[in-house]
Amino acid sequence: MDKQFYTEYYDLERNHWWFKVRSGIIEDSVKTINKSPLNILNIGVATGKTSEILSQFGNVTSVEFDTECCRFTSEKLGIDIINASILNLPFSDNKFDLVCAFDVLEHVENDQKAVSEMKRVCVNNGHICITVPAFMHLWSHHDDVNMHLRRYTMKGVLALFIGSGKIIAKTYFNSFLYFPIMTFRILSRLIPPSMIRKGAGSDFTLINNESPVNKLLYKIFNFERKLLKKIEFPVGVSILCIWKKD
């Protein structure tokens, strides 16, 4: 992550329409796990909003790979964050009831090893919950800035979790806005590099958090959140998957 993005990202995680609804989707997903309190591992905490959400369900151990981001968030929130890699988690086998990685795997070269590590530290009958960005045809400057290595299809995500357990929930999300976002990202490839917006450059920074557009997009996406409790979407900008360990 670009260092300039830390401060922006802290605000975005708490006020941007996409993050606000994703937070609700994460909360809804964890509520489906019938155990309380949970011993939770949250990998790739960034500026900490996901750890704040998960704390209502039990004890949260937070992990972040980026040293500077780890320091920033720890000082900002006053919480302990372990500086470690998802490829070599510093925990014993069968330790956590719930292992989470929200928009993390797309940053990891060896995502299969990352999933294996998550499985290792997950207790028997425990759960892994992940989100990842979907579809390589949606690749844009946003992915470059956020240091993504790939975007996923559902088939690709499910292939990572074959063996030792079963998928208990899966869906694409941010589906209602999929076609507008796809159109915008395809057209954005025509913009000359000299005209690409400065600063962090992420798509998240295009719309002011207090603007009417931000509020409208929040309402559209939040309506979809309610439907996600009942149906699985066949296409979207992101993917959610929950796996249960045998």
Side-chain angles (χ1 to χ4, degrees), residues 8-224:
E8 289 182 7
Y9 201 85
Y10 181 87
D11 179 63
L12 287 166
E13 275 205 301
R14 291 154 178 82
N15 298 298
H16 186 274
W17 65 271
W18 186 85
F19 282 102
K20 288 173 69 175
V21 179
R22 187 193 69 155
S23 294
I25 292 171
I26 290 170
E27 184 175 347
D28 294 341
S29 299
V30 177
K31 283 180 179 178
T32 65
I33 299 173
N34 296 318
K35 182 177 179 180
S36 183
L38 294 165
N39 186 23
I40 303 168
L41 175 63
N42 188 26
I43 306 168
V45 300
T47 57
K49 180 59 178 178
T50 53
S51 286
E52 291 178 331
I53 296 166
L54 293 170
S55 65
Q56 66 184 291
F57 300 104
N59 179 64
V60 180
T61 299
S62 299
V63 168
E64 172 58 46
F65 175 72
D66 187 293
T67 305
E68 291 302 317
C69 186
C70 188
R71 183 180 298 113
F72 172 88
T73 304
S74 182
E75 292 175 355
K76 190 79 172 177
L77 298 182
I79 62 174
D80 293 328
I81 301 177
I82 298 171
N83 186 202
S85 169
I86 192 173
L87 297 174
N88 188 23
L89 295 170
F91 308 108
S92 60
D93 297 354
N94 306 310
K95 182 174 178 64
F96 296 98
D97 301 309
L98 174 63
V99 182
C100 300
F102 302 117
D103 293 279
V104 173
L105 293 180
E106 65 272 18
H107 299 274
V108 183
E109 186 71 42
N110 192 342
D111 53 354
Q112 185 66 73
K113 183 177 180 181
V115 171
S116 295
E117 270 292 273
M118 295 172 74
K119 288 182 176 182
R120 179 184 66 80
V121 301
C122 183
V123 300
N124 293 331
N125 294 315
H127 296 76
I128 292 176
C129 183
I130 67 159
T131 59
V132 292
F135 298 120
M136 284 299 294
H137 62 255
L138 293 178
W139 190 275
S140 71
H141 179 64
H142 171 85
D143 297 281
D144 293 328
V145 167
N146 285 281
M147 302 173 71
H148 294 172
L149 297 177
R150 69 189 73 81
R151 300 178 71 93
Y152 290 84
T153 61
M154 183 65 75
K155 181 179 179 181
V157 169
L158 299 183
L160 291 172
F161 285 91
I162 292 174
S164 305
K166 61 183 178 181
I167 301 295
I168 63 169
K170 60 181 176 66
T171 186
Y172 287 93
F173 65 96
N174 201 0
S175 301
F176 288 177
L177 295 169
Y178 168 76
F179 289 105
I181 289 173
M182 179 178 66
T183 301
F184 168 79
R185 292 194 172 185
I186 290 174
L187 292 175
S188 71
R189 296 170 193 162
L190 303 176
I191 300 174
S194 61
M195 296 179 63
I196 292 177
R197 56 196 178 279
K198 306 303 180 183
S202 166
D203 286 357
F204 294 136
T205 62
L206 283 172
I207 301 172
N208 185 288
N209 291 333
E210 301 301 321
S211 72
V213 175
N214 186 75
K215 295 175 182 178
L216 174 62
L217 294 174
Y218 171 82
K219 289 181 179 178
I220 295 171
F221 193 14
N222 197 50
F223 177 69
E224 178 184 316

